[in-house]
Amino acid sequence: MAKKKKHKQQPALKEKATFRGKLKAGMAFVLHPRPWYWNILYIFLSCAAIALLAEWISRADSTVDVWTFKMTVHSFLSAGKWALTYITAYLAAVFFLFMLSLFLYTLFNSTGLAVLLPGLVYCGLSAANYFKFVARNEPLLPWDFILIGAAAEFAGSAGLKFTPHIFIAFGGVILIALAAFLLNRGWGREKKRVLPVLRARWMHRLISAGAILAVIIAFFGSFYINVTWRKAWGFEVNSWNQTRDYQNYGVLNMLCINCRYIMVDKPAGYSEEAIDKLRDEILDKAEADGTLEYIDGEQEVTPNIIFVMLEAFGDADQLKNFTYSENITATSDWLEENAVSGYLLTSIFGGGTSITEYMALTGMSTSFLPPGSTPYQQYVNDPVDAWPSYLKETFGYETVAIHPYGAAYWNRNVAYPNMGIDTFLSKDNCFQYAPRCRKCNYVTDDAVMEQIIDTFEAQQKESDDPLFIHAITIANHQAYHLEDYTDEERVKITSTEPLSEELQIAFESYVTGLRNTDRAMQLLLDYFQTVEEPTIILFFGDHWGKTGTVNEAFVPAGLFDWGTLYEDHENVRRAYSVPFYIWDNYLGLQGKVENLSAYQLTPMLTELYGLDRPIYFEYLRQQMDIFRGHYSNTVLDAAGTPSGKKPAAVKDALGKMELLQYDLLFGKNYLYN
């Protein structure tokens, strides 16, 4: 019998077979069915990854519009650096997210669903935080959720864009959840579940879910709400610098921490006796100052009073690195010489118009409210003491508001009647045929001034009562585009500092709008110079404009240094100050006024013109002898100079103001009752 020829095994084939074997063994190990508690491990690791993805969204550079692969990697590494630097904050976010996922897993017995829902919510919150910071340089806050309608309307006109890192982060969450679904469902021909479902009765699962929910509530209350515990873990939160806190402690943690401030706590020492004592002090000081007669409601002259708040109106001359192709401040320059003028310290930059008007109309500061509050939505849902209501109830003024946008925007349709405004002319019932401008199709500032004139003339024909008008323009609202103006209309900028093409376009559109606003002011002045009825007109800005999506936009313009914004108090003053002008046709008052806060504006006007004022406004008038307002950690002293110092007299005045403001807005109104 012939012997079989032995074939020598090829080394390469042996090596190949070994590699395949190892690969097969490795896959078998990975896909081998695990005990049920491996679901818990998978959920925890998924939450750790999701926390990084979500924080990556909010930490990406908001100053660029063109993304590159390098930027994507760099921004993700910055999220990893945050997790290592602030490991307590990272682990707190992971634990809270893990407990929420575990709660869902216990209820629905689905690992995929348990990681998908919290993951999408976390990433959604981070994306909202990113977009809000792009638009307004402010982080997302719990009370922003009541503004969803307004935010959606604004987002369309502001040109906010989804960047690649947002899609990647959401895609990562979906992939993690999809993998869990597949591992729960089964793998291979035999459909063996790698992550088996939980074998437990509904009653046992409900009991477990209840226990997990109790842990969630306990952790939320002890860690996020309890200040002492939070500080013990190194969370030093500063309400005046929420941007930094969100960067340090993360979006999820800060949203939970800020839930503590949804309700406004009663200040220490608030009582009827305390307010009575303050009222007596105010009246005694008024008698000593010779101003007691101005709070008796018996003034002889009742001039027409017109407030015109100018959208995104800043002083173009303060952009010291820019020169313009034409004079864009002719009316403002004239008012500086022929009226009362000065600078107003606001509490907003780039957006939040309703906050400045709230402060001007009520004399109330937002410093005693939760950080980032929007009073019109949150607190002016019942009648409040305000300048329009005082004028109407004391002297019989007719009160009108004019704004060429939707009445429901910022909840003005509810807030205005509660502040004593009887008639509200908005885009809903007026301006249907008004001329429009810019890519966003806003009503022009000229049209607003003409509506003020038409309203005044109609009222004069029908009534002898004095008139109060509060008007707001909108034409220079962000965002700013090349298509806003033709080349002939556009103001050209020459800058001593280099500007990107996008920033050049945005700034030229913005300052062109400033020029148009300046011209519209002249239109109103020209008309009322011919009117015999005593009339006071107050022009004031709400905030600086936000040019594009660039936080550092005003740095090359020479307005302030973004990098040291909150450390340099003069920086804060420049960034948050806008001009105001007060003109009248019967006394001809002129002069410069030292810097002051928006909530002191109307009390200052009453002092200038000898107008009667409510007791609270008299207190604010007296307050200006001590300091001229404040924002964040910056205080304007009696001369209007910014600093970080709060002498005992300033602290005492702020404490009294907090008591009075709480009494009028949330308390029993002891001051007037």
Side-chain angles (χ1 to χ4, degrees):
M1 181 181 292
K3 292 183 178 180
K4 292 184 178 179
K5 187 177 180 180
K6 294 182 179 179
H7 294 280
K8 188 175 182 180
Q9 191 172 16
Q10 299 293 330
L13 293 175
K14 182 178 180 181
E15 182 178 339
K16 187 174 181 180
T18 304
F19 174 76
R20 285 179 176 175
K22 289 182 178 180
L23 181 62
K24 186 176 181 180
M27 291 295 294
F29 174 78
V30 171
L31 299 177
H32 182 72
R34 305 293 176 185
W36 67 269
Y37 52 79
W38 276 70
N39 286 285
I40 311 302
L41 178 61
Y42 186 91
I43 291 173
F44 181 80
L45 295 176
S46 298
C47 290
I50 289 170
L52 278 177
L53 291 171
E55 291 298 330
W56 174 32
I57 293 176
S58 66
R59 283 161 206 291
D61 189 355
S62 60
T63 65
V64 297
D65 283 333
V66 181
W67 273 75
T68 64
F69 177 75
K70 183 179 179 180
M71 290 178 182
T72 303
V73 173
H74 181 269
S75 60
F76 184 77
L77 291 177
S78 68
K81 182 180 178 181
W82 163 77
L84 294 174
T85 305
Y86 293 91
I87 189 166
T88 303
Y90 172 63
L91 292 177
V94 170
F95 178 75
F96 190 63
L97 189 67
F98 170 65
M99 296 306 296
L100 292 173
S101 298
L102 200 59
F103 174 74
L104 293 175
Y105 171 69
T106 307
L107 280 182
F108 301 109
N109 201 12
S110 170
T111 309
L113 194 64
V115 297
L116 179 64
L117 295 182
L120 291 179
V121 171
Y122 195 171
C123 286
L125 293 173
S126 292
N129 180 72
Y130 172 80
F131 284 129
K132 187 183 177 189
F133 191 81
V134 166
R136 294 199 25 203
N137 293 298
E138 293 178 357
L140 184 72
L141 296 161
W143 33 93
D144 288 331
F145 296 109
I146 61 177
L147 308 177
I148 289 177
E153 189 174 0
F154 164 76
S157 63
L160 299 179
K161 304 173 184 176
F162 282 89
T163 51
H165 79 292
I166 296 178
F167 290 109
I168 295 172
F170 274 96
V173 172
I174 293 172
L175 284 177
I176 291 171
L178 182 61
F181 279 120
L182 292 175
L183 295 175
N184 267 158
R185 183 171 177 267
W187 194 273
R189 294 179 179 178
E190 298 180 6
K191 296 295 182 182
K192 292 182 179 180
R193 291 187 174 96
V194 178
L195 297 177
V197 294
L198 185 64
R199 302 295 183 184
R201 295 181 179 179
W202 265 104
M203 182 59 67
H204 295 160
R205 284 162 56 186
L206 287 176
I207 293 173
S208 299
I212 294 169
L213 183 60
V215 173
I216 293 173
I217 295 172
F219 179 76
F220 187 89
S222 61
F223 187 80
Y224 290 127
I225 304 301
N226 189 294
V227 178
T228 304
W229 277 52
R230 194 169 67 238
K231 286 185 175 180
W233 286 96
F235 279 58
E236 294 290 340
V237 176
N238 295 305
S239 61
W240 55 267
N241 195 351
Q242 291 268 313
T243 299
R244 185 178 66 188
D245 290 337
Y246 271 66
Q247 287 295 308
N248 291 349
Y249 306 125
V251 174
L252 182 61
N253 288 327
M254 285 306 301
L255 280 171
C256 293
I257 289 171
N258 277 317
C259 286
R260 180 179 185 273
Y261 303 107
I262 290 178
M263 300 299 294
V264 178
D265 294 332
K266 182 169 66 174
Y270 174 71
S271 65
E272 183 174 4
E273 293 74 18
I275 300 301
D276 288 344
K277 181 181 178 181
L278 276 176
R279 185 198 303 109
D280 293 340
E281 290 179 5
I282 296 168
L283 296 176
D284 290 343
K285 183 70 165 59
E287 186 174 12
D289 292 347
T291 58
L292 193 59
E293 62 180 296
Y294 297 114
I295 52 178
D296 60 8
E298 296 180 1
Q299 71 184 44
E300 296 180 1
V301 179
T302 52
N304 301 303
I305 301 173
I306 301 173
F307 282 13
V308 186
M309 188 168 70
L310 307 167
E311 174 62 42
F313 187 70
D315 183 357
D317 290 337
Q318 289 199 350
L319 307 180
K320 58 186 179 183
N321 292 340
F322 289 173
T323 54
Y324 310 107
S325 58
E326 62 182 271
N327 182 6
I328 64 174
T329 58
T331 305
S332 300
D333 295 342
W334 184 88
L335 285 167
E336 286 187 3
E337 298 296 327
N338 297 277
V340 176
S341 63
Y343 290 97
L344 199 65
L345 183 67
T346 70
S347 62
I348 50 177
F349 180 85
T353 295
S354 70
I355 295 174
T356 300
E357 67 170 297
Y358 164 80
M359 294 168 73
L361 292 174
T362 64
M364 296 187 188
S365 169
T366 55
S367 297
F368 307 115
L369 300 176
S373 295
T374 306
Y376 280 3
Q377 277 84 5
Q378 295 168 255
Y379 311 121
V380 192
N381 295 306
D382 295 300
V384 300
D385 291 284
W387 182 235
S389 60
Y390 174 79
L391 291 175
K392 181 174 70 172
E393 295 167 6
T394 308
F395 300 107
Y397 273 73
E398 294 186 24
T399 54
V400 180
I402 299 172
H403 183 41
Y405 210 60
Y409 198 62
W410 291 122
N411 205 38
R412 288 187 175 100
N413 58 327
V414 175
Y416 280 169
N418 286 325
M419 296 164 68
I421 294 175
D422 292 326
T423 304
F424 182 16
L425 303 177
S426 70
K427 186 178 69 173
D428 301 337
N429 59 6
C430 192
F431 298 104
Q432 286 88 347
Y433 305 105
R436 307 281 175 142
C437 65
R438 303 182 55 216
K439 180 181 178 181
C440 298
N441 202 35
Y442 291 133
V443 173
T444 65
D445 289 351
D446 283 1
V448 176
M449 303 304 171
E450 289 169 358
Q451 184 59 55
I452 293 173
I453 294 170
D454 291 345
T455 302
F456 172 78
E457 290 181 341
Q459 191 267 351
Q460 289 291 296
K461 292 178 182 178
E462 298 176 1
S463 173
D464 293 330
D465 294 333
L467 177 64
F468 171 78
I469 295 178
H470 171 61
I472 311 164
T473 67
I474 197 173
N476 208 25
H477 196 286
Q478 64 167 308
Y480 306 101
H481 309 281
L482 178 64
E483 301 86 352
D484 286 341
Y485 303 101
T486 65
D487 192 60
E488 292 75 19
E489 295 172 323
R490 182 178 295 273
V491 175
K492 307 300 190 300
I493 289 176
T494 302
S495 175
T496 60
E497 296 293 326
L499 296 175
S500 67
E501 181 181 2
E502 180 191 16
L503 199 53
Q504 180 88 19
I505 290 170
F507 262 122
E508 288 186 351
S509 177
Y510 175 56
V511 299
T512 302
L514 290 179
R515 179 203 61 190
N516 293 346
T517 299
D518 189 83
R519 290 177 177 177
M521 293 160 61
Q522 188 62 55
L523 187 154
L524 195 65
L525 291 171
D526 287 343
Y527 174 81
F528 278 97
Q529 284 173 339
T530 66
V531 171
E532 295 183 359
E533 287 286 325
T535 302
I536 300 170
I537 299 178
L538 165 64
F539 297 108
F540 63 105
D542 54 354
H543 53 72
W544 281 97
K546 183 78 163 35
T547 52
T549 59
V550 186
N551 296 331
E552 297 87 355
F554 285 90
V555 175
L559 181 63
F560 57 79
D561 181 358
W562 183 264
T564 60
L565 178 57
Y566 291 102
E567 285 71 33
D568 184 339
H569 300 288
E570 178 58 25
N571 252 343
V572 172
R573 188 200 66 76
R574 287 196 298 267
Y576 291 90
S577 287
V578 291
F580 70 86
Y581 307 98
I582 307 175
W583 175 88
D584 71 85
N585 66 352
Y586 68 105
L587 293 180
L589 296 187
Q590 301 174 8
K592 303 287 184 184
V593 174
E594 300 296 341
N595 300 318
L596 73 161
S597 278
Y599 64 80
Q600 296 171 330
L601 181 59
T602 305
M604 182 272 297
L605 183 146
T606 66
E607 182 179 29
L608 282 175
Y609 287 91
L611 303 179
D612 276 26
R613 60 193 75 104
I615 295 175
Y616 176 64
F617 277 25
E618 170 62 19
Y619 169 75
L620 295 178
R621 185 205 66 79
Q622 297 173 11
Q623 183 191 81
M624 287 189 283
D625 294 335
I626 304 171
F627 71 103
R628 310 284 289 191
H630 66 293
Y631 169 67
S632 184
N633 62 334
T634 296
V635 176
L636 302 178
D637 64 18
T641 304
S643 74
K645 300 177 181 178
K646 287 185 180 180
V650 172
K651 291 180 180 179
D652 180 63
L654 287 172
K656 292 176 179 178
M657 183 180 178
E658 183 178 14
L659 287 175
L660 292 171
Q661 184 168 311
Y662 181 87
D663 180 59
L664 296 176
L665 200 55
F666 307 106
K668 302 294 186 180
N669 208 330
Y670 295 130
L671 183 65
Y672 294 119
N673 292 336

